[in-house]
Amino acid sequence: MEKRGSTEKIRYDFDTTKCCEVKIDTGLWCRSTPNEFRSWKGERRIVRWNKDEMIIEEYNGPVYYMGSNKIDKSEPKYGYAFLHDVDPRAQYSRQRQTEHFTIK
């Protein structure tokens, strides 16, 4: 049987065990998953702890399209980089009655 779809392993150019944070348009830093971190088109940083000291490293690596290893070369703006402007996560999530937001 032939394999189809996502057969290549997702590439991470940073340490995924550290705390990944992205800066949203309101100026707040929010924790994100490594998959969201690599696809964020905005400021990114990696936070690690050395005993009681917080060490912050700005991250200026490539921005990948969500769910792929293709590098996004479009204009920088806040938000995620989606291939063909389609969010691959949307097919797996449904809005619950208690939620007041949707993925866009």
Side-chain angles (χ1 to χ4, degrees):
M1 184 181 292
E2 181 182 345
K3 290 185 178 181
R4 297 182 181 193
S6 301
T7 57
E8 185 178 1
K9 187 175 179 179
I10 296 294
R11 186 179 313 125
Y12 295 98
D13 299 332
F14 54 90
D15 188 358
T16 58
T17 62
K18 305 297 182 223
C19 177
C20 303
E21 293 184 348
V22 297
K23 189 174 186 180
I24 59 175
D25 55 358
T26 60
L28 296 174
W29 287 94
C30 298
R31 196 177 259 182
S32 68
T33 65
N35 194 34
E36 292 171 337
F37 181 80
R38 67 192 290 276
S39 299
W40 183 254
K41 296 166 73 172
E43 292 183 61
R44 300 175 286 175
R45 69 182 185 184
I46 296 174
V47 179
R48 59 188 177 91
W49 293 88
N50 187 6
K51 295 188 180 183
D52 293 332
E53 182 184 358
M54 184 170 79
I55 301 168
I56 299 172
E57 302 171 6
E58 295 297 320
Y59 183 76
N60 295 316
V63 176
Y64 293 95
Y65 287 115
M66 180 78 70
S68 77
N69 286 331
K70 295 181 181 178
I71 295 177
D72 175 36
K73 297 179 181 172
S74 65
E75 75 280 347
K77 63 177 183 175
Y78 279 101
Y80 296 108
F82 297 123
L83 191 61
H84 308 297
D85 293 325
V86 176
D87 186 352
R89 305 169 302 168
Q91 63 183 335
Y92 300 113
S93 65
R94 290 191 320 237
Q95 186 174 5
R96 296 181 191 94
Q97 291 178 349
T98 57
E99 292 179 334
H100 300 290
F101 61 90
T102 56
I103 297 173
K104 288 199 176 196

